[in-house]
Amino acid sequence: MKSNMKILGIIPARGGSKGIKDKNILNLLGKPLIGYTIESALSSKLLDKIVVSTDSNKIANVVESNYGVEVIKRPSEFAKDDSPIEEALLHTVEYLERGR
């Protein structure tokens, strides 16, 4: 019996960083750091849809131009240093359920 369950992969990528500025898009051995995560997700046989949740236009541009993965812009209130990741994940799911 085949399941109708769909599995969503959400890659959270916040623009702000206390440690390394723009770490998600820094080049590491020829590709942006976030590229390794996206490529792993794309090669997974388990995920039906992959999206990147970000508050950063720079990250969004790198993802859209290099990987063709849907980007969901995260509101700044879910992208602070002390914002729980669950808020960003829930925002992403609710955004997709609303159909934008």
Side-chain angles (χ1 to χ4, degrees), residues 8-57:
L8 173 65
I10 302 172
I11 300 171
R14 192 168 66 91
S17 174
K18 287 192 237 179
I20 301 172
K21 183 172 173 45
D22 294 327
K23 68 181 172 199
N24 286 301
I25 56 174
L26 287 179
N27 186 310
L28 179 65
L29 301 175
K31 70 176 96 169
L33 185 60
I34 195 169
Y36 291 93
T37 304
I38 293 169
E39 288 175 359
S40 291
L42 289 169
S43 69
S44 170
K45 305 289 188 245
L46 301 175
L47 301 174
D48 296 299
K49 182 173 181 75
I50 300 158
V51 298
V52 171
S53 166
T54 188
D55 62 316
S56 166
N57 289 329

Side-chain angles (χ1 to χ4, degrees), residues 50-100:
I50 300 158
V51 298
V52 171
S53 166
T54 188
D55 62 316
S56 166
N57 289 329
K58 287 182 184 178
I59 293 172
N61 289 337
V62 166
V63 170
E64 290 170 338
S65 63
N66 293 297
Y67 299 98
V69 172
E70 182 177 356
V71 174
I72 297 174
K73 290 301 298 253
R74 184 188 323 173
S76 59
E77 65 262 25
F78 302 140
K80 297 178 180 151
D81 285 341
D82 60 350
S83 297
I85 191 65
E86 293 85 359
E87 289 179 350
L89 299 175
L90 284 171
H91 168 264
T92 302
V93 170
E94 290 168 359
Y95 177 91
L96 290 169
E97 285 178 340
R98 283 192 314 266
R100 281 99 180 127

